């Protein structure tokens, strides 16, 4: 395997737990090496993944809606293109089994270390480096990211991958699971907790073994009981999910986004333009921020109309189905575990998308597209052997 790319993949795995600028720097180096290798013809155009064109179609539409809303010069402000580059670029390289296993160990170790360090900061008063890893106002873990929900989205993906690898490839991966579960819990993201729960239920049905189902359900119940009794505020956040009074802002976001879509059903108000439409409602006190609609589907409908909604949900469902087929048809244990983990990560994103605009979360997109790129590289290596 290309040694330079191999070490850059390791560096990217480490960088995923740090601020996004770290992953962007490493990705920039990967892109430079990629063009060098294209020039030297050590990789070929035949390795291009044609389904990358789905991203091209999606962002072409986003650029179109942005141009309609503002001007052609403004299409450079459409966000999210860079976050999909790992899938396109990394997929050109053959990645061997040893490299894939090392990448996962790095991911799990790096995340576990950050979680332990964050808990030490929060409960033991260990000094913070660069920034506190818990939000002081909410007591939720955010890691080195901008918001606990962004961290929750990333750690949910890592946890899902860890469980799939432990079940289908090597049980030793379960060594990291308690740390990753702690990260998900202290992130306090109900959206991703629900997404992981749905993935867990899916795994139980895939096992087709009552013994495994009952054992896993028992372990999950024990973990949940420990969480409820040891982290009281988490159970309070879960109960708040069923309170209309506690979700007034979110319901208002959804209503505003839906009404915006009804007024602009075909092209929406333009990619990245919903913020301006939300501002008057914030001034009236109906919502508490103008970031997004707090719902992936309503956000896309409001900003990019019906075509944008179809493209975004279609991309998610396409990759979910694609990697579920790889899992079903594969015989290599690592390939099966890896593809199932990526497929379930899309399940998680689709479920959490009812409460988060996670398609617009750059660090979440970078993580899942990095894993997709590595998976494509490993698929190529398996097929050629």
């Amino acid at each position: 395997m290309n040694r330079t790319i191999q070490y850059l993949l390791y560096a990217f795995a480490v960088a995923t737990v740090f601020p996004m600028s770290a992953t962007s720097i490493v990705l920039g180096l990967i892109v430079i090496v990629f063009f060098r290798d294209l020039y030297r013809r050590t990789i070929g155009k035949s390795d291009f993944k044609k389904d990358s064109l789905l991203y091209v179609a999606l962002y072409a539409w986003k650029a179109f809606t942005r141009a309609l809303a503002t001007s052609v010069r403004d299409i450079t402000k459409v966000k999210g293109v860079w976050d999909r580059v790992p899938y396109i670029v990394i997929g050109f390289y053959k990645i061997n089994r040893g490299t894939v296993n090392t990448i996962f160990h790095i991911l799990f170790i790096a995340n576990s270390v950050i979680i332990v360090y964050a808990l030490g900061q929060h409960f033991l008063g260990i000094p913070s480096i660069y920034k506190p890893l818990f939000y002081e106002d909410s007591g939720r873990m955010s890691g080195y990211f901008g918001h606990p929900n962004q961290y929750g989205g990333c750690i949910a993906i890592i946890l899902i991958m860890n469980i799939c690898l432990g079940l289908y490839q090597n049980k030793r991966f379960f060594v990291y699971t308690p740390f990753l579960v702690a990260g998900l819990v202290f992130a306090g993201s109900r959206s991703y907790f629900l997404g992981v729960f749905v993935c867990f239920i899916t795994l139980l049905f895939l096992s087709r073994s009552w013994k495994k189902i009952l054992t896993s359900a028992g372990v999950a119940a024990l973990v949940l009981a420990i969480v409820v009794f040891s982290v009281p505020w988490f159970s309070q956040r879960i109960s708040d999910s069923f309170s209309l009074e506690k979700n007034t802002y979110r319901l208002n976001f959804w209503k505003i986004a839906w009404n915006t879509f009804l007024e602009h059903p075909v092209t929406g108000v333009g990619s990245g333009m919903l913020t301006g439409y939300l501002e008057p409602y914030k001034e009236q006190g109906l919502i508490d921020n103008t970031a997004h609609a707090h719902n992936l589907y309503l956000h896309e409908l409001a900003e990019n109309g019906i075509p944008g909604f179809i493209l975004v949900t279609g991309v998610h469902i396409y990759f979910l189905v694609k990697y579920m087929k790889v899992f079903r048809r594969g015989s290599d244990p690592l390939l099966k575990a890896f593809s199932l983990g990526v497929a379930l990560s899309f399940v998680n994103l689709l479920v959490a998308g009812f409460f988060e605009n996670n398609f617009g979360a750059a660090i979440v997109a970078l993580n899942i597209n990095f894993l997709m790129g590595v998976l494509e590289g490993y698929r190529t290596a398996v097929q050629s052997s």
Side-chain angles (χ1 to χ4, degrees):
M1 180 186 171
N2 185 310
R3 286 288 182 185
T4 305
I5 285 294
Q6 182 181 25
Y7 292 127
L8 285 174
L9 293 179
Y10 295 160
F12 194 101
V14 173
T16 56
V17 301
F18 294 111
M20 188 176 160
S21 55
T23 49
S24 291
I25 291 170
V26 179
L27 180 56
L29 294 173
I30 291 174
V31 170
I32 290 171
V33 174
F34 166 75
F35 281 113
R36 183 204 68 180
D37 292 340
L38 268 182
Y39 177 75
R40 292 180 177 178
R41 297 184 180 179
T42 55
I43 55 175
K45 295 179 181 179
S46 59
D47 295 317
F48 174 71
K49 303 298 179 287
K50 292 181 180 179
D51 52 16
S52 300
L53 295 174
L54 288 171
Y55 282 148
V56 175
L58 169 58
Y59 281 98
W61 179 257
K62 283 179 174 285
F64 175 68
T65 65
R66 179 80 182 203
L68 279 181
T70 54
S71 68
V72 174
R73 289 179 296 179
D74 235 21
I75 64 175
T76 57
K77 296 180 181 179
V78 174
K79 296 179 180 180
V81 176
W82 180 247
D83 315 329
R84 275 75 194 178
V85 168
Y87 174 67
I88 300 170
V89 171
I90 297 172
F92 272 81
Y93 295 91
K94 293 180 182 178
I95 303 175
N96 59 47
R97 177 187 300 272
T99 300
V100 173
N101 275 311
T102 301
I103 287 171
F104 278 121
H105 281 293
I106 291 172
L107 281 170
F108 299 150
I109 290 171
N111 277 277
S112 298
V113 168
I114 290 295
I115 290 164
V116 171
Y117 175 50
L119 294 176
Q121 275 188 22
H122 191 64
F123 293 107
L124 302 177
I126 295 175
S128 61
I129 300 174
Y130 181 70
K131 70 179 285 289
L133 302 185
F134 270 77
Y135 257 39
E136 293 181 3
D137 58 342
S138 64
R140 295 168 59 194
M141 184 176 171
S142 61
Y144 282 107
F145 306 146
H147 194 276
N149 287 344
Q150 294 177 357
Y151 176 73
C154 292
I155 199 64
I157 291 171
I158 300 300
L159 175 59
I160 291 166
M161 295 302 310
N162 172 259
I163 293 173
C164 290
L165 287 163
L167 287 174
Y168 288 91
Q169 208 257 331
N170 191 331
K171 287 184 172 56
R172 293 180 181 178
F173 281 112
F174 285 135
V175 168
Y176 307 108
T177 307
F179 302 103
L180 303 178
V181 169
L184 180 66
V185 170
F186 282 99
S189 175
R190 294 165 292 187
S191 307
Y192 292 109
F193 193 82
L194 176 62
V196 170
F197 177 75
V198 171
C199 292
F200 177 75
I201 297 300
T202 305
L203 281 171
L204 291 184
F205 280 105
L206 288 173
S207 71
R208 297 181 180 179
S209 166
W210 280 106
K211 182 179 179 181
K212 286 185 178 180
I213 290 175
L214 292 174
T215 302
S216 301
V219 171
L222 177 62
V223 170
L224 187 59
I226 293 172
V227 169
V228 168
F229 286 107
S230 61
V231 192
W233 60 262
F234 183 80
S235 57
Q236 182 60 50
R237 279 185 62 78
I238 297 299
S239 63
D240 286 348
S241 302
F242 302 97
S243 167
L244 289 177
E245 182 181 353
K246 296 286 185 179
N247 290 282
T248 301
Y249 283 148
R250 190 179 297 273
L251 293 173
N252 286 340
F253 273 115
W254 294 353
K255 183 178 179 180
I256 295 164
W258 178 252
N259 288 336
T260 303
F261 158 66
L262 292 179
E263 293 173 7
H264 308 270
V266 180
T267 59
V269 297
S271 181
M273 301 300 293
L274 184 60
T275 296
Y277 283 78
L278 293 174
E279 192 63 45
Y281 299 98
K282 181 185 177 184
E283 294 174 357
Q284 296 172 35
L286 295 174
I287 54 178
D288 60 347
N289 66 78
T290 61
H292 50 76
H294 293 267
N295 181 296
L296 164 65
Y297 311 102
L298 291 174
H299 188 91
E300 286 303 321
L301 283 169
E303 283 203 340
N304 299 294
I306 293 174
F309 167 81
I310 292 172
L311 283 165
V312 167
T313 54
V315 165
H316 280 72
I317 294 170
Y318 168 81
F319 284 118
L320 191 167
V321 173
K322 173 184 176 178
Y323 291 122
M324 190 59 76
K325 286 181 179 178
V326 175
F327 164 72
R328 291 284 193 184
R329 297 169 182 174
S331 56
D332 178 81
L334 177 55
L335 182 60
K336 285 180 71 70
F338 199 167
S339 56
L340 179 61
V342 172
L344 290 181
S345 293
F346 277 103
V347 172
N348 170 56
L349 292 175
L350 285 166
V351 172
F354 283 101
F355 310 98
E356 295 293 330
N357 177 33
N358 46 35
F359 190 84
I363 192 64
V364 176
L366 273 170
N367 270 268
I368 188 64
N369 280 275
F370 169 67
L371 290 170
M372 290 162 62
V374 174
L375 174 53
E376 289 298 331
Y378 183 60
R379 283 184 69 198
T380 302
V382 170
Q383 290 167 359
S384 63
S385 63

